[in-house]
mmCIF file of all heavy atoms in Angstrom:
data_model
loop_
_atom_site.group_PDB
_atom_site.id
_atom_site.type_symbol
_atom_site.label_atom_id
_atom_site.label_comp_id
_atom_site.label_asym_id
_atom_site.label_seq_id
_atom_site.Cartn_x
_atom_site.Cartn_y
_atom_site.Cartn_z
ATOM 1 N N SER N 619 -67.743 5.156 28.016
ATOM 2 C CA SER N 619 -68.092 3.737 27.911
ATOM 3 C C SER N 619 -69.613 3.601 27.977
ATOM 4 O O SER N 619 -70.324 4.521 28.403
ATOM 5 C CB SER N 619 -67.449 2.953 29.063
ATOM 6 O OG SER N 619 -66.056 3.146 29.072
ATOM 7 N N ARG N 620 -70.131 2.431 27.581
ATOM 8 C CA ARG N 620 -71.575 2.213 27.571
ATOM 9 C C ARG N 620 -72.165 2.462 28.965
ATOM 10 O O ARG N 620 -71.667 1.938 29.962
ATOM 11 C CB ARG N 620 -71.886 0.787 27.136
ATOM 12 C CG ARG N 620 -73.384 0.492 26.986
ATOM 13 C CD ARG N 620 -73.586 -0.950 26.578
ATOM 14 N NE ARG N 620 -72.986 -1.239 25.281
ATOM 15 C CZ ARG N 620 -73.592 -0.999 24.115
ATOM 16 N NH1 ARG N 620 -74.791 -0.454 24.094
ATOM 17 N NH2 ARG N 620 -72.987 -1.310 22.988
ATOM 18 N N GLY N 621 -73.223 3.262 29.029
ATOM 19 C CA GLY N 621 -73.888 3.561 30.288
ATOM 20 C C GLY N 621 -73.204 4.653 31.093
ATOM 21 O O GLY N 621 -73.662 5.002 32.188
ATOM 22 N N ASN N 622 -72.108 5.216 30.572
ATOM 23 C CA ASN N 622 -71.346 6.229 31.297
ATOM 24 C C ASN N 622 -71.491 7.601 30.679
ATOM 25 O O ASN N 622 -72.079 7.766 29.598
ATOM 26 C CB ASN N 622 -69.848 5.867 31.312
ATOM 27 C CG ASN N 622 -69.526 4.743 32.276
ATOM 28 O OD1 ASN N 622 -70.430 4.087 32.806
ATOM 29 N ND2 ASN N 622 -68.250 4.520 32.513
ATOM 30 N N VAL N 623 -70.942 8.593 31.354
ATOM 31 C CA VAL N 623 -70.804 9.945 30.820
ATOM 32 C C VAL N 623 -69.344 10.375 31.040
ATOM 33 O O VAL N 623 -68.607 9.738 31.792
ATOM 34 C CB VAL N 623 -71.751 10.949 31.508
ATOM 35 C CG1 VAL N 623 -73.193 10.672 31.160
ATOM 36 C CG2 VAL N 623 -71.529 10.960 33.020
ATOM 37 N N LEU N 624 -68.958 11.434 30.364
ATOM 38 C CA LEU N 624 -67.626 11.991 30.564
ATOM 39 C C LEU N 624 -67.712 13.246 31.403
ATOM 40 O O LEU N 624 -68.645 14.045 31.245
ATOM 41 C CB LEU N 624 -66.969 12.329 29.216
ATOM 42 C CG LEU N 624 -66.649 11.168 28.287
ATOM 43 C CD1 LEU N 624 -66.046 11.699 26.992
ATOM 44 C CD2 LEU N 624 -65.701 10.168 28.940
ATOM 45 N N ILE N 625 -66.752 13.407 32.282
ATOM 46 C CA ILE N 625 -66.633 14.646 33.047
ATOM 47 C C ILE N 625 -65.270 15.246 32.735
ATOM 48 O O ILE N 625 -64.239 14.578 32.881
ATOM 49 C CB ILE N 625 -66.773 14.414 34.559
ATOM 50 C CG1 ILE N 625 -68.171 13.902 34.883
ATOM 51 C CG2 ILE N 625 -66.486 15.707 35.324
ATOM 52 C CD1 ILE N 625 -68.359 13.512 36.329
ATOM 53 N N GLY N 626 -65.287 16.488 32.288
ATOM 54 C CA GLY N 626 -64.050 17.207 32.024
ATOM 55 C C GLY N 626 -63.887 18.321 33.034
ATOM 56 O O GLY N 626 -64.825 19.077 33.299
ATOM 57 N N ALA N 627 -62.722 18.397 33.626
ATOM 58 C CA ALA N 627 -62.448 19.471 34.590
ATOM 59 C C ALA N 627 -61.099 20.082 34.243
ATOM 60 O O ALA N 627 -60.127 19.359 34.011
ATOM 61 C CB ALA N 627 -62.432 18.923 36.015
ATOM 62 N N ASP N 628 -61.057 21.395 34.183
ATOM 63 C CA ASP N 628 -59.769 22.030 33.917
ATOM 64 C C ASP N 628 -59.574 23.255 34.793
ATOM 65 O O ASP N 628 -60.528 23.826 35.325
ATOM 66 C CB ASP N 628 -59.610 22.389 32.431
ATOM 67 C CG ASP N 628 -60.618 23.429 31.964
ATOM 68 O OD1 ASP N 628 -61.543 23.763 32.725
ATOM 69 O OD2 ASP N 628 -60.464 23.923 30.842
ATOM 70 N N TYR N 629 -58.314 23.602 34.960
ATOM 71 C CA TYR N 629 -57.962 24.765 35.765
ATOM 72 C C TYR N 629 -58.222 26.044 34.983
ATOM 73 O O TYR N 629 -57.962 26.124 33.781
ATOM 74 C CB TYR N 629 -56.492 24.713 36.165
ATOM 75 C CG TYR N 629 -56.196 23.744 37.277
ATOM 76 C CD1 TYR N 629 -55.459 22.586 37.035
ATOM 77 C CD2 TYR N 629 -56.635 23.986 38.578
ATOM 78 C CE1 TYR N 629 -55.168 21.702 38.057
ATOM 79 C CE2 TYR N 629 -56.350 23.100 39.608
ATOM 80 C CZ TYR N 629 -55.623 21.961 39.334
ATOM 81 O OH TYR N 629 -55.346 21.089 40.363
ATOM 82 N N SER N 630 -58.716 27.041 35.676
ATOM 83 C CA SER N 630 -58.964 28.349 35.057
ATOM 84 C C SER N 630 -57.727 29.227 35.209
ATOM 85 O O SER N 630 -57.309 29.536 36.327
ATOM 86 C CB SER N 630 -60.166 29.016 35.735
ATOM 87 O OG SER N 630 -60.301 30.348 35.294
ATOM 88 N N GLN N 631 -57.112 29.566 34.070
ATOM 89 C CA GLN N 631 -55.998 30.534 34.018
ATOM 90 C C GLN N 631 -54.921 30.211 35.060
ATOM 91 O O GLN N 631 -54.423 31.089 35.760
ATOM 92 C CB GLN N 631 -56.535 31.941 34.220
ATOM 93 C CG GLN N 631 -57.542 32.330 33.154
ATOM 94 C CD GLN N 631 -58.326 33.586 33.515
ATOM 95 O OE1 GLN N 631 -58.547 33.877 34.687
ATOM 96 N NE2 GLN N 631 -58.748 34.324 32.506
#
Side-chain angles (χ1 to χ4, degrees):
S619 304
R620 185 181 298 276
N622 285 10
V623 291
L624 295 178
I625 296 174
D628 64 351
Y629 284 111
S630 171
Q631 300 167 331

